[in-house]
Amino acid sequence: MAFALAPIFNLFRFDLNEGHAYLLGIPWRLGIDAFMLGQIGPIEAGLNILLRLFLPIIVAAVGLMFIAWRWGRIYCGWLCPHFSAVELINGLMRRASSKPSIWEKQPLPNCKPDGSPLKQDVRWWLPTLMFAVFFASLWSIVLLTYLLPPTEIYRNLWQWTLTPNQARFISIGTLLLTMEFLFARHLFCRFGCAVGLFQSLAWMANRGGMVVGFDRLRAADCANCRSIGEKNGNANYAACEAECPMRLRPRQAKHKMFACTQCSSCLTACHTVQQANNAQPLLRWVDKENAIQHEAQVSLTGHKDKTK
């Protein structure tokens, strides 16, 4: 929602017509025009560029990296508009084909964490396609409003009077994004998003960063998941793995959770399963000393498992 509303209220966008940006409703100019008109000297122009362009970018980048270093990719899991589309379309495609992606080798278990069945129905392909096209067209329009006045774009859309360049931008953007939403989604998040990659690198650099912890002393309680799977014809069911939008295995070591977006889907699934048995969830957030201790336990357990 914020992604679509930000340009409307000039919270953040760059206007190609006016040649300057808007930040929190205030015109944000670099002062280059004043330099070209001879109103300021080169030193003042250089300081303007440093303070109004490079400094805000550095502060924003450092702030994002600190958040990622401390808490992981919470921007991806909670603020990124792309990830919201990923979760929705994953769910629709799973209903249509039992797989969240056409590239998935094996279908997911046909049940939910609460034990209710999740039946495959090819009729879900229609809403899957519709939502992919809807998000793609919406994104293309919104992205254009980051570059041109939103009132002009929405008025032209309403009156069907888009300029050739505007129509071309929206059409090509819709086509490319539809392909991305249908064939990539979480694959792009894992392997193609630079913002996500740098967040993951910052998170990996902090041994005490927030991570999904697993209560290994109660590992036998994972049988509750298996019992749900057996009732639905899949003895290897693990709710935390089935519900992860990034196709990760949350009980693994941190270095194998590189693309984790801290979306909490695995924690919610574990809570649902264990709640039905009046037990506490096996997965929880841990950080600082608890995160370091958790990683040591996982590594030790993994080493023992390999030596058996």
Side-chain angles (χ1 to χ4, degrees), residues 1-284:
M1 183 64 71
F3 169 67
L5 294 179
I8 295 177
F9 295 101
N10 288 331
L11 298 179
F12 176 74
R13 71 182 185 89
F14 184 87
D15 195 308
L16 292 176
N17 291 344
E18 299 181 10
H20 64 80
Y22 282 93
L23 183 63
L24 300 178
I26 303 173
W28 194 264
R29 297 180 174 87
L30 298 181
I32 297 178
D33 293 338
F35 172 71
M36 297 297 293
L37 294 174
Q39 298 174 353
I40 60 175
I43 296 178
E44 187 176 353
L47 287 175
N48 284 340
I49 294 175
L50 176 64
L51 296 176
R52 299 181 183 182
L53 177 61
F54 292 108
L55 184 60
I57 292 176
I58 292 173
V59 170
V62 170
L64 178 63
M65 289 302 100
F66 173 77
I67 292 173
W69 179 84
R70 181 69 180 80
W71 293 287
R73 290 174 61 171
I74 59 173
Y75 168 79
C76 296
W78 295 94
L79 296 176
C80 178
H82 180 267
F83 195 74
S84 299
V86 165
E87 291 184 293
L88 177 60
I89 299 177
N90 275 7
L92 293 172
M93 192 169 288
R94 182 180 176 185
R95 287 180 175 273
S97 64
S98 295
K99 298 190 294 185
S101 168
I102 63 173
W103 311 115
E104 201 82 9
K105 294 181 179 179
Q106 299 294 332
L108 293 178
N110 56 349
C111 60
K112 300 178 183 179
D114 61 4
S116 59
L118 185 65
K119 296 181 180 180
Q120 177 189 352
D121 191 334
V122 294
R123 288 176 294 183
W124 280 98
W125 277 114
L126 179 58
T128 301
L129 178 61
M130 290 176 60
F131 271 97
V133 174
F134 168 75
F135 279 120
S137 59
L138 176 63
W139 270 44
S140 299
I141 295 168
V142 171
L143 288 173
L144 188 56
T145 64
Y146 275 86
L147 301 174
L148 296 173
T151 53
E152 173 187 340
I153 300 303
Y154 290 121
R155 182 182 63 249
N156 290 352
L157 278 170
W158 178 259
Q159 298 176 351
W160 292 89
T161 56
L162 289 170
T163 66
N165 285 337
Q166 292 171 357
R168 192 175 298 114
F169 181 98
I170 294 175
S171 299
I172 295 175
T174 298
L175 176 62
L176 294 178
L177 288 170
T178 297
M179 295 299 101
E180 196 275 334
F181 285 136
L182 288 175
F183 301 109
R185 293 193 315 282
H186 55 280
L187 297 177
F188 172 79
C189 295
R190 293 182 67 178
F191 306 113
C193 179
V195 176
L197 172 64
F198 283 110
Q199 287 182 90
S200 291
L201 291 174
W203 181 51
M204 285 292 166
N206 180 15
R207 293 184 60 203
M210 187 177 72
V211 67
V212 175
F214 176 55
D215 188 351
R216 295 189 173 275
L217 297 178
R218 296 175 49 228
D221 286 352
C222 281
N224 294 329
C225 266
R226 289 192 291 273
S227 64
I228 293 175
E230 289 171 354
K231 293 178 182 178
N232 291 273
N234 193 310
N236 297 319
Y237 176 66
C240 58
E241 298 176 14
E243 297 301 312
C244 178
M246 300 294 278
R247 316 308 312 129
L248 303 175
R249 301 177 62 187
R251 293 168 292 173
Q252 294 187 116
K254 181 179 180 179
H255 69 275
K256 294 183 179 181
M257 295 286 289
F258 183 82
C260 177
T261 60
Q262 275 73 11
C263 68
S264 296
S265 294
C266 58
L267 277 74
T268 301
C270 185
H271 175 77
T272 300
V273 172
Q274 300 303 327
Q275 187 179 43
N277 294 275
N278 297 317
Q280 294 296 316
L282 302 174
L283 300 179
R284 67 188 189 282

Side-chain angles (χ1 to χ4, degrees), residues 281-303:
L282 302 174
L283 300 179
R284 67 188 189 282
W285 291 120
V286 295
D287 61 358
K288 299 180 181 178
E289 292 80 7
N290 291 330
I292 297 173
Q293 182 180 6
H294 165 72
E295 187 67 13
Q297 291 175 347
V298 173
S299 300
L300 180 61
T301 304
H303 176 72

